[in-house]
C-alpha cells in the first residue's frame, strides 16, 4: 500500500467522512474502493475496445447486388 495526501475543501471532506462512516469504512478504505472500481471499469473498457478493434470488418451482402437507397435504410414504415 502507498500513502498519499489529498487536500479537499472542508465541505467535501465532511461529506466524504459521512459517506465512509455510513458504509462502516475508513475514508482511506472508502476512497480505495471507489478508485479501484473506476480503474476496473477503465480496464474493462480498454479490453472491450481492443477486442472490437481487432475484429475484421464484415462484408455486406447487398440485395440484388445493389446498395440500398437512403430512403430504404431510413424507412420506418415497419415500425408504425
Amino acid at each position: 500500500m502507498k500513502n498519499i495526501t489529498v487536500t479537499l475543501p472542508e465541505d467535501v471532506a465532511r461529506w466524504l467522512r459521512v459517506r465512509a462512516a455510513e458504509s462502516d469504512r475508513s475514508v482511506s478504505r472508502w476512497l480505495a474502493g471507489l478508485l479501484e472500481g473506476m480503474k476496473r471499469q477503465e480496464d474493462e473498457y480498454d479490453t472491450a475496445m481492443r477486442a472490437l478493434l481487432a475484429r475484421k470488418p464484415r462484408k455486406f451482402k447487398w440485395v440484388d447486388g445493389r446498395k440500398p437507397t437512403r430512403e430504404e435504410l431510413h424507412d420506418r414504415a415497419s415500425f408504425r
Side-chain angles (χ1 to χ4, degrees):
M1 294 293 243
K2 180 75 176 163
N3 289 331
I4 61 170
T5 301
V6 178
T7 304
L8 300 170
E10 185 56 39
D11 61 325
V12 174
R14 189 177 320 107
W15 173 85
L16 179 56
R17 285 190 295 269
V18 169
R19 293 295 299 233
E22 287 173 348
S23 62
D24 292 327
R25 294 192 286 182
S26 67
V27 168
S28 180
R29 190 164 295 213
W30 192 88
L31 279 174
L34 177 70
L35 295 172
E36 286 169 354
M38 291 173 67
K39 181 185 179 306
R40 186 173 34 258
Q41 269 187 321
E42 191 172 304
D43 291 346
E44 289 171 1
Y45 178 87
D46 290 342
T47 299
M49 182 60 76
R50 277 193 298 279
L52 177 68
L53 294 175
R55 293 173 57 180
K56 298 207 183 289
R58 289 179 21 192
K59 290 205 175 227
F60 290 101
K61 294 182 181 176
W62 303 109
V63 177
D64 299 329
R66 65 170 182 83
K67 294 180 182 177
T69 65
R70 183 180 190 284
E71 289 75 25
E72 289 171 332
L73 287 174
H74 296 279
D75 178 30
R76 304 286 187 207
S78 61
F79 296 111
R80 293 183 197 145

